[in-house]
Amino acid sequence: MRLQLSPEDQKFREEMREFFTTQVPERIRNKVLARQELSKEEFVESQQILNAAGLAVPGWPVEWGGQDWSQLQRHIWHEEMQLAGVPQPLPFNAGMVGPVIAAFGSQELKERFLAKTANIDIWWSQGFSEPDAGSDLAGLRTTAIREGDEYIVNGQKTWTTLGQYGDWIFMLVRTDPKAAKKQEGISFLLIDMTTPGVTVRPIELIDGGFEVNEVFFENVRVPAENLVGEENKGWTYAKFLLGNERVGIAQVGASQRHLATAKSIAKERGVLDRYAARIVTLENELLALETTALRVAAHSDGGRPHPASSVLKIKGSQLTQAVSELLMDLEGPTALTSHDSRVFLNNRKVSIYGGSNEVQRTIIAGTILGL
């Protein structure tokens, strides 16, 4: 999709494209375009280049490194970054804990963490999912019991993406086990992962990779000053964070790029006619998704994503999986031993994380349809 842009916005698009394709090293962008895994050092190098140019966290408040852009300009920034193969700023930093601290954290926490978070001097991990809780995030059982000026944390988190790189982890913990509702009595806590009692154990995935981890907490002592916002109000902050995460999961630009790759492969192998209808359908659905993404951005207020971000999450994850399935089909039997099979298997997760698609349908029913 190419919008009819004003001369100013077209100039903005060209500036973004020139920066991304000339300032971020080609060796990093080529790995992203080839859907290969990046090292921690490559993530950090890319984000620090963006941050030095003020392009790492444009959605944050201006005083903390954000940009006073229109929603359309933010969309163009995101789209051009994906089309150029530039790694997105680490979502745990740029799209999750950073906005939460900026919106709900104390001035001390903002000054202590936001600049380092934008520049990825701190690599954040996300401590939300727990064993036996399934998609019911509010069913978490990790406790943080206040003792004087500290919380004593005990429990376990799981599916902690790239947790092996984490310096700090932002957590949902139960601070009032006797709360009347399970969504109450939850708090948002920041924990240094070098604190005694924290143990990280990698999980081997079906694709053979070690992208996620289990994280254990045994009598971990956390300064009470690391609490974000008010005690027992963590569910409110979690909903704010997850709304931002769902917008990012849509990955419209990346899916468009991968679909273009599939189309080129089909042409090279003389099988475009066989796959044409499927490709056109996906192109149209991605076009519709991009329009929805713009609508969500236009109706998001004060950094708080619109409830329709759940629509982006559902459809974006479905299209991500559909495009990777198309690439597998184009490879034929050889895909079983190719990199495409790892990508295909890895993408099975996108309909689960960030709140499963079934949970998103419940959110849509309640917040949009009023059912």
Side-chain angles (χ1 to χ4, degrees):
M1 179 181 180
R2 286 294 177 266
L3 302 167
Q4 288 295 113
L5 299 176
S6 67
E8 293 76 17
D9 286 329
Q10 183 59 40
K11 182 172 182 290
F12 178 82
R13 179 187 287 281
E14 292 167 359
E15 290 173 351
M16 291 296 105
R17 184 172 301 172
E18 180 179 0
F19 182 89
F20 292 142
T21 55
T22 60
Q23 300 304 307
V24 179
E26 188 175 12
R27 57 183 163 76
I28 295 178
R29 293 188 291 112
N30 283 344
K31 289 185 73 171
V32 174
L33 293 171
R35 297 182 294 164
Q36 298 174 354
E37 294 180 7
L38 298 181
S39 67
K40 177 180 180 179
E41 292 72 23
E42 289 167 329
F43 272 116
V44 172
E45 180 182 359
S46 175
Q47 182 157 331
Q48 291 187 343
I49 290 171
L50 298 182
N51 193 47
L55 301 179
V57 291
W60 289 17
V62 173
E63 64 180 307
W64 300 112
Q67 295 282 354
D68 187 22
W69 290 347
S70 66
Q71 293 292 351
L72 178 57
Q73 287 175 319
R74 286 174 58 182
H75 174 79
I76 292 171
W77 163 80
H78 193 254
E79 184 181 60
E80 288 298 326
M81 187 165 52
Q82 291 186 65
L83 291 172
V86 173
Q88 291 190 68
L90 189 68
F92 314 113
N93 287 37
M96 298 184 189
V97 72
V100 169
I101 293 175
F104 305 107
S106 64
Q107 184 67 19
E108 180 187 355
L109 287 180
K110 293 174 185 176
E111 294 175 356
R112 183 180 173 192
F113 287 115
L114 287 180
K116 292 180 178 178
T117 298
N119 200 48
I120 209 169
D121 296 328
I122 295 174
W123 183 294
W124 286 96
S125 296
Q126 182 184 23
F128 276 23
S129 297
E130 294 193 3
D132 303 324
S135 296
D136 181 14
L137 181 58
L140 65 91
R141 295 184 295 185
T142 296
T143 57
I145 305 302
R146 183 77 179 257
E147 286 188 9
D149 294 333
E150 295 178 319
Y151 288 99
I152 311 301
V153 179
N154 283 284
Q156 179 188 349
K157 298 294 179 179
T158 192
W159 309 124
T160 307
T161 304
L162 302 179
Q164 67 270 38
Y165 300 150
D167 301 307
W168 282 70
I169 185 168
F170 52 92
M171 300 263 292
L172 289 181
V173 292
R174 192 162 293 286
T175 41
D176 182 5
K178 298 180 180 178
K181 296 181 179 178
K182 60 183 179 181
Q183 291 84 1
E184 298 174 350
I186 293 173
S187 297
F188 197 105
L189 201 59
L190 311 178
I191 301 178
D192 183 342
M193 293 184 74
T194 63
T195 307
V198 178
T199 303
V200 179
R201 187 166 69 190
I203 301 172
E204 184 175 6
L205 297 179
I206 192 172
D207 66 358
F210 292 91
E211 185 181 6
V212 296
N213 301 265
E214 296 174 291
V215 186
F216 300 88
F217 301 85
E218 184 176 0
N219 293 322
V220 178
R221 306 186 78 85
V222 181
E225 63 192 29
N226 289 3
L227 177 73
V228 176
E230 298 180 48
E231 188 175 89
N232 299 327
K233 299 295 183 183
W235 189 248
T236 298
Y237 313 146
K239 289 191 292 183
F240 172 87
L241 180 152
L242 289 169
N244 285 318
E245 182 183 12
R246 287 166 196 146
V247 173
I249 289 173
Q251 296 286 335
V252 179
S255 291
Q256 288 174 325
R257 193 181 68 236
H258 296 150
L259 183 59
T261 299
K263 193 172 183 179
S264 296
I265 292 172
K267 286 180 180 176
E268 291 170 3
R269 299 180 181 179
V271 295
L272 181 59
D273 288 346
R274 189 193 311 171
Y275 291 96
R278 193 166 158 189
I279 291 171
V280 169
T281 297
L282 288 171
E283 286 177 335
N284 287 336
E285 292 189 356
L286 281 169
L287 181 63
L289 183 63
E290 184 171 22
T291 303
T292 303
L294 280 168
R295 193 168 71 241
V296 169
H299 289 86
S300 296
D301 182 33
R304 299 170 190 266
H306 189 271
S309 60
S310 293
V311 176
L312 290 182
K313 199 278 176 177
I314 293 173
K315 196 61 184 177
S317 60
Q318 290 174 339
L319 291 176
T320 296
Q321 293 173 342
V323 172
S324 64
E325 185 174 349
L326 173 62
L327 284 162
M328 280 277 288
D329 290 345
L330 284 166
E331 285 294 322
T334 59
L336 293 175
T337 56
S338 74
H339 179 67
D340 283 325
S341 66
R342 288 195 61 184
V343 175
F344 171 82
L345 292 171
N346 193 280
N347 279 339
R348 299 306 94 190
K349 70 187 180 189
V350 297
S351 51
I352 300 174
Y353 69 52
S356 71
N357 285 3
E358 288 75 15
V359 170
Q360 302 314 309
R361 291 186 179 94
T362 301
I363 293 173
I364 291 168
T367 62
I368 299 177
L369 301 178
L371 300 176

